[in-house]
Amino acid sequence: MEQSETAGSRFTLKRAGDYRQKLSELWARRWFRWIAYAAGLLLLGYALIWVMFARDLPSVDKLRTYQPPLPTNVRAIDGTPIHSYARERRVQLSYPEFPQKLVQAYISAEDRTFFSHGGVDYPGIVSAVIKNLTHRGRPVGASTITQQVAKNLLLGNELSYKRKVREALLAYRIEDALTKQQILELYLNQIFLGRNAYGVQAASRAYFDKDVAELTLPQMAYLAILPKGPSNYDPERHEDRALARRNWVLGEMLRNGFISKAEHDAAVASPLGTVPRQGTRFEANAGYFLEEVRRELIDRFGENAEAGPNSLYAGGLWVRTSLDPRLQQLSETALRDGLVRYDRGKGWHGPIKKLPIDGNWAQRLAAANLGAGYANWHVAIVLEKTGGEAKIGFQSGETGTMPASAASIPVAGKGGTTFDALNPGDVIAVEQEGSTWSLRSIPAVSGAMVVENPHNGRIMAMQGGWDSRIHSFNNATQALRQPGSTIKPFVYAAALDNGMTPATLIVDGPFCVYQSALLGQKCFRNFSGGYAGPQTLRWAIEQSRNLMTVRTASQTGMDNVVRTIARMGIGNYKPFLSIALGAGETTALKMTNAVSQLVALGRELKPTLIDYVQDRNGKVIYRTDGRCALMRTCNAKDWDGKPMPRPPLRGRQLMDPMTAYQIVHIMEGVVLRGTAQTLRELDRPLIGKTGTTSGPTNVWFIGGSPDLIAGTYVGYDQPRAMGGYAQGGTLAAPIFKQFAREALKDMPVVSFRAAPGIRFVRIDRRSGRKVFGTFPSLTEPKPAVIWEAFKPESEPRRTIRREEIAARPKEKQLPPDVPVRQGPRDSEFLEREGGIY
């Protein structure tokens, strides 16, 4: 059976050479050789293309998660937009937010076959190649919108055929990876359209001052012509060219069936309707405040995209600050008015800047970004002087005239009139008066003002000089100045911590110390000279007596004094007696914060300008107060039924609360009857301390209400004598007064919070002895009997009789029309405080 099966099987044997023979037969045929050559060339071409163009193409996956550079937007304490940090003005929109007509305008202008091609427009390429071969000059491209996305986001702007090939290859990949709508969204958000506007929303604002949803058909068509070259169609320089190109886009939209003939004709008849070029407009100036915010954000998140996804100029951050625009404006005006009052009569101090006069003077003036301070003062450049008037120009390109009579201010230190000293190219400050302009003098003296919330340390306003656009140096945070007598409350705080009381008697008399054999003996003196004999510690602060201060510091120990000053964040000083009179250097911000810590009953406050920061998606990535980390309840899924958690206090206790309140209570006396009596007419509980340094070179005032503390100083950038009439009470305190009159107008009238454990005792204000049987007067500016704050078991043991008080000569009183706000009546105080404790 096996033999029969084997015999019935058939086998065919072929040699290997048969395949070679068959192949040889095929190769002998011409058509086969042509196919083989074509396939080989195709493979070789593919390999060459991969090696030369596609080998290192960027990944299209980047586009799936691409986030364009977005500006950082800054808002005030109430959410009002106040500034934007940007190198590329851009607002990112999603595809559904673009009006359909706007999309159709761009397709008609840039790529009418966009929704049908696969990434490359072959007929367009052929047309561009023919044109480039027959014409000289810059090569003409035929890039589709997809190719433009590839170039702008992944390749760059290299002008070469190699880049065009890479662009086409990448366009195919993009079409495979993204939908047409996603590609258009990337394109319309990324494209540069002039006026520092990237993306159509930013361009809509830059050219028409409206959002894309509000654009008319001709306005959409105008934006669609800008990708080819924004400068070529600038509405201010090339209006006719821009109109012609816009009308061409409208014609393409008609040809593509996107608009009707009636819509086309109406749009063609419309003017461009663009607005003049303008910078970002915000109500608040706050240049010094915003520069501090910028520096902090750079330190925390980096400056550019290379630093991380949340960088200042690319991260699209949303920053909520503590700036109060109203308080900022009040502080700017008050400080400037104070500087002008001091500088009045001192002459004109020279031009702000000098610029060359040529055909681009307006652009040069605009690029200088100078400011004149007041809203009704303007920066101008002197163009020429003819006869009795000068021709001046402004940033907008407009011109005006300034007669010689309007520039008659004497030149400081030289004499003669300012008009004679003016030269073409001088940048000056002017104010309009009728149809002409008058010269204004920017003060040579400078200063600073800081406004802080003493409950949490938030800085609500900061003005570091006349105008940040003229002097960028921030006097509030960078200028180291001697604080003068504003340091004295902290000297006496150290004394109160070391056994003294507000009623302790200190001798106001000669005080000298032996320094060394080389330096000899150093004798101190009061600012106004003279001696007053034994007086209370309260009186020493109210009247700012130097001799009593250094005597107190000597008895307390300068080591204790400088330790208290350092603990309050003012500065680290060596234990020299001159430090007790404000010889050490500090800043306005530090001094304002130190006084705020006194109002906070000695609790540490860290001055902050930023409340919180959100990323581009709205997630909070930084919160200054750290409440979420402290409470650990921010991410709770639902309410747990408990009361709303309160953020715990962040600051540590820097000073005995009772000591801090005693100083605050004494500083109220500085306003009632001391060196800051000018503030009494504000008729509310206020504290304050004036300061005047040797020379005087700087004058200070720091004080405020239970809800707002402000510090201000005035002095030259290069410290020099200001004149003997310059004092804290006559120059700095009125600046605060002007500010506080409006700032506190609508704030509730409340008293300063007393520390637990404080005992209020009636004492004779002059002798410091306890009083029985009589109460403080509510009408006299300087009553003989006052309520004084004591720590437990520290009140005076000795008493004084009413007859002794009545027998004393009356003190000089202020005019009767000046209101006097004393402490509360006994019944009011007892009811509020729950008893005298």
Side-chain angles (χ1 to χ4, degrees), residues 608 610-612 620 622-634 646-650:
T608 62
I610 296 174
D611 288 348
Y612 60 85
V620 176
Y622 171 70
R623 189 182 289 275
T624 301
D625 59 14
R627 64 177 64 182
C628 292
L630 292 171
M631 296 186 298
R632 300 179 182 177
T633 56
C634 291
R646 300 191 57 155
L649 298 177
R650 293 180 294 145

Side-chain angles (χ1 to χ4, degrees), residues 381-703:
I381 186 170
V382 178
L383 299 176
E384 60 182 23
K385 287 199 309 182
T386 55
E389 67 179 22
K391 182 180 179 181
I392 58 176
F394 301 91
Q395 296 179 6
S396 62
E398 299 177 352
T399 60
T401 58
M402 182 175 66
S405 59
S408 58
I409 306 172
V411 179
K414 296 181 179 179
T417 66
T418 301
F419 186 81
D420 295 333
L422 290 176
N423 296 299
D426 287 347
V427 179
I428 57 176
V430 296
E431 182 179 7
Q432 189 169 18
E433 292 184 346
S435 60
T436 62
W437 296 84
S438 296
L439 182 69
R440 294 293 178 260
S441 178
I442 293 178
V445 72
S446 190
M449 189 168 191
V450 179
V451 182
E452 182 173 348
N453 184 332
H455 300 297
N456 46 39
R458 298 162 83 192
I459 304 301
M460 306 176 75
M462 177 186 291
Q463 185 66 10
W466 176 264
D467 192 307
S468 62
R469 294 166 293 180
I470 298 179
H471 301 294
S472 60
F473 185 81
N474 189 345
N475 289 314
T477 60
Q478 295 174 295
L480 293 174
R481 296 289 185 268
Q482 293 182 350
S485 295
T486 57
I487 202 74
K488 290 178 181 177
F490 304 96
V491 176
Y492 288 101
L496 293 175
D497 276 337
N498 286 273
M500 291 190 181
T501 75
T504 297
L505 292 179
I506 304 168
V507 175
D508 183 24
F511 187 83
C512 301
V513 294
Y514 180 76
Q515 300 178 100
S516 66
L518 179 63
L519 298 176
Q521 189 163 281
K522 164 71 175 177
C523 290
F524 295 88
R525 60 181 295 273
N526 287 318
F527 181 82
S528 57
Y531 313 110
Q535 300 289 340
T536 62
L537 182 149
R538 166 182 282 277
W539 189 86
I541 300 180
E542 290 179 354
Q543 305 304 320
S544 195
R545 304 295 282 185
N546 290 345
L547 291 172
M548 298 177 73
T549 303
V550 293
R551 190 183 301 275
T552 301
S554 178
Q555 294 176 4
T556 303
M558 279 305 301
D559 287 333
N560 293 324
V561 171
V562 297
R563 192 178 300 118
T564 297
I565 292 173
R567 196 163 56 241
M568 298 300 286
I570 297 172
N572 296 305
Y573 309 125
K574 294 183 178 180
F576 299 138
L577 273 176
S578 59
I579 296 298
L581 299 180
E585 293 181 332
T586 187
T587 67
L589 178 62
K590 290 180 179 179
M591 286 303 304
T592 304
N593 187 65
V595 173
S596 296
Q597 290 174 153
L598 292 177
V599 176
L601 300 180
R603 180 170 53 84
E604 180 185 31
L605 296 175
K606 294 182 179 179
T608 62
L609 287 75
I610 296 174
D611 288 348
Y612 60 85
V613 179
Q614 296 170 281
D615 65 13
R616 67 175 68 207
N617 300 314
K619 179 182 178 182
V620 176
I621 58 176
Y622 171 70
R623 189 182 289 275
T624 301
D625 59 14
R627 64 177 64 182
C628 292
L630 292 171
M631 296 186 298
R632 300 179 182 177
T633 56
C634 291
N635 296 323
K637 294 182 179 180
D638 201 357
W639 181 43
D640 57 7
K642 298 179 181 179
M644 180 180 293
R646 300 191 57 155
L649 298 177
R650 293 180 294 145
R652 55 197 174 96
Q653 197 68 38
L654 303 177
M655 180 183 291
D656 183 343
M658 288 187 284
T659 298
Y661 178 73
Q662 285 179 302
I663 293 296
V664 168
H665 191 54
I666 293 172
M667 290 175 71
E668 287 188 84
V670 176
V671 174
L672 289 173
R673 48 192 166 264
T675 57
Q677 293 182 60
T678 181
L679 305 178
R680 262 190 17 201
E681 65 182 72
L682 296 178
D683 194 28
R684 61 166 58 231
L686 293 173
I687 65 170
K689 186 68 191 78
T690 59
T692 307
T693 61
S694 298
T697 56
N698 298 285
V699 295
W700 291 76
F701 176 83
I702 301 176

Side-chain angles (χ1 to χ4, degrees), residues 22 28 57 167 172 224 351 364 434 438 442 502 513 548 682 708 816 818:
K22 188 67 174 179
L57 280 178
E167 184 182 288
Y172 281 119
R364 293 180 187 274
S438 296
I442 293 178
V513 294
M548 298 177 73
L682 296 178
L708 183 150
V818 177

